[in-house]
Amino acid sequence: MKLNKKAAKIAGIFLATAAVIAALFLGSVYFFVFKPSFERGKMSSDLEHFKKEEYVEKHTEDKNWFLEQNYSEISIKSFDGLNLVAYKLDAENPKGTFVLMHGYHSDPLREFAGLARFYYGLGYNVILPFQRSHGKSEGKYITFGVKERYDLRDWILEANKLYGSEKPVYLEGISMGCATVVMSLGFDLPENVKGVVADCGFTSPEEIIWKVLKKDKKLPLSHLIMATGEFMTKHIADFDEKEFSTLTALRHNKIPVIFIHGAEDDFVPVEMSITNFQMCRAKKSLYIVPDCPHAIAYLVDEEKYHKKVTDFLGI
């Protein structure tokens, strides 16, 4: 009898200890992995993002230029009820429209002030959405393109409401914005969507998250952390990291795509753009920018970037 009581006590202590360890593990994953990865976050400093003072100065000049233009804000409702906001800059006698999708924990002007200036100068309207859960757009959770692709589809439809569907629409995305754009190619998009610029995008939410956990942060128990994170994304953020990928979209895509990636990108591996390029079944081109880090190819080799894009798109 005494032995049974002692065994029960030991079992109780063991179970209590296990419960505490499990709670600590779940709490750690939630607060140190899930929240910073999937909720709104602050942008890095300009110097950290652009790497060089000369790039910061060029970005600042382009941003100030945009803010001096006669731009406006427009909004749409997402398929799940969020208010999404974009900047809109109308060209005089426009040749068409560019919809430009920014990346993770960023905003439209950080990544597209210079390119918006360039496309506007060519005679195109530009629409620069704040992705869900960023800046002026509503939303708590970032879904790495899974839900954002629906938002882009709706921005394209809004562009056609504003300007008509007779003139071409072009899409460009950088980093997570690139994944958003490429994933949107899985939809039956309007016929006036004529081309895509896919700049340094990843292949799937699962692969980029795994890369960050395993290779960048070198976290122990990475498989268990990944599985726990997937459970949290499904039951808290309401999306599945494995639900969709750029590769799924590209298997059936018919819209021309130029893939661009910095050769020295240490965040999204250049191999991901190469994989996307290989998977694409439509007209395609691949431009690897030498000596270029993540998400600033348009600054590192501005003249060649502009020429590669305009030649490919025929604009």
Side-chain angles (χ1 to χ4, degrees):
M1 188 70 175
K2 288 182 179 179
L3 186 61
N4 288 341
K5 286 183 178 180
K6 185 176 181 180
K9 185 176 181 180
I10 292 172
I13 293 171
F14 175 80
L15 291 172
T17 302
V20 170
I21 292 172
L24 288 172
F25 175 78
L26 290 172
S28 297
V29 172
Y30 178 78
F31 285 106
F32 297 109
V33 177
F34 176 81
K35 279 180 68 68
S37 298
F38 297 102
E39 290 189 1
R40 287 176 178 267
K42 294 181 179 179
M43 292 196 298
S44 58
S45 70
D46 281 351
L47 186 56
E48 185 179 357
H49 179 80
F50 293 106
K51 308 301 183 187
K52 295 182 180 180
E53 287 286 357
E54 62 185 282
Y55 297 153
V56 174
E57 291 173 5
K58 178 63 167 65
H59 162 71
T60 302
E61 177 191 334
D62 291 331
K63 181 178 178 180
N64 289 339
W65 171 87
F66 185 91
L67 294 174
E68 291 168 358
Q69 305 308 304
N70 187 29
Y71 72 93
S72 60
E73 290 185 10
I74 56 175
S75 64
I76 60 172
K77 282 290 182 183
S78 71
F79 73 96
D80 53 353
L82 300 177
N83 189 56
L84 304 177
V85 176
Y87 294 135
K88 175 174 74 74
L89 182 59
D90 295 343
E92 188 175 348
N93 300 317
K95 299 175 182 176
T97 302
F98 271 83
V99 182
L100 308 173
M101 302 299 287
H102 71 78
Y104 178 75
H105 285 172
S106 189
D107 73 24
L109 295 187
R110 161 165 280 189
E111 292 184 338
F112 283 111
L115 286 168
R117 184 177 186 176
F118 174 66
Y119 296 134
Y120 178 78
L122 292 177
Y124 289 84
N125 307 310
V126 288
I127 294 177
L128 300 100
F130 287 87
Q131 294 236 51
R132 62 171 53 218
S133 306
H134 289 80
K136 296 175 180 286
S137 288
E138 292 180 345
K140 185 174 183 180
Y141 298 111
I142 300 164
T143 71
F144 289 77
V146 172
K147 291 185 177 180
E148 288 84 353
R149 74 188 197 273
Y150 291 93
D151 302 336
L152 174 55
R153 176 200 62 186
D154 294 342
W155 280 118
I156 296 167
L157 296 175
E158 181 67 14
N160 282 348
K161 287 181 184 177
L162 290 169
Y163 305 118
S165 58
E166 298 79 21
K167 292 185 178 180
V169 169
Y170 298 98
L171 312 176
E172 179 163 358
I174 291 178
S175 193
M176 191 191 83
C178 173
T180 298
V181 167
V182 176
M183 286 187 193
S184 77
L185 298 177
F187 294 120
D188 185 15
L189 295 177
E191 290 184 2
N192 65 322
V193 178
K194 297 300 184 182
V196 168
V197 183
D199 189 335
C200 68
F202 51 80
T203 48
S204 72
E206 181 186 28
E207 288 190 2
I208 193 62
I209 293 165
W210 173 251
K211 183 259 180 187
V212 171
L213 288 179
K214 184 69 174 178
K215 295 184 178 179
D216 293 356
K217 294 188 176 181
K218 296 180 172 60
L219 293 178
L221 302 174
S222 51
H223 284 283
L224 182 57
I225 291 172
M226 188 75 179
T228 305
E230 287 179 4
F231 178 86
M232 290 179 177
T233 59
K234 288 179 184 178
H235 296 279
I236 299 175
D238 190 33
F239 83 101
D240 187 343
E241 297 168 18
K242 299 177 182 178
E243 179 180 331
F244 205 73
S245 73
T246 59
L247 305 182
T248 303
L250 288 167
R251 286 189 185 99
H252 308 288
N253 172 50
K254 297 179 181 179
I255 298 172
V257 184
I258 177 169
F259 297 92
I260 299 173
H261 213 115
E264 304 304 320
D265 193 328
D266 60 359
F267 185 68
V268 178
V270 65
E271 290 79 14
M272 289 191 173
S273 277
I274 294 171
T275 299
N276 281 331
F277 171 76
Q278 292 170 338
M279 184 60 67
C280 183
R281 296 294 178 262
K283 177 186 174 185
K284 58 188 176 181
S285 179
L286 177 64
Y287 170 37
I288 306 298
V289 185
D291 303 315
C292 178
H294 183 63
I296 58 170
Y298 65 97
L299 288 171
V300 171
D301 195 352
E302 184 178 49
E303 183 177 346
K304 193 170 183 180
Y305 190 106
H306 291 169
K307 183 169 178 18
K308 286 280 187 180
V309 168
T310 54
D311 285 353
F312 180 80
L313 298 178
I315 60 175

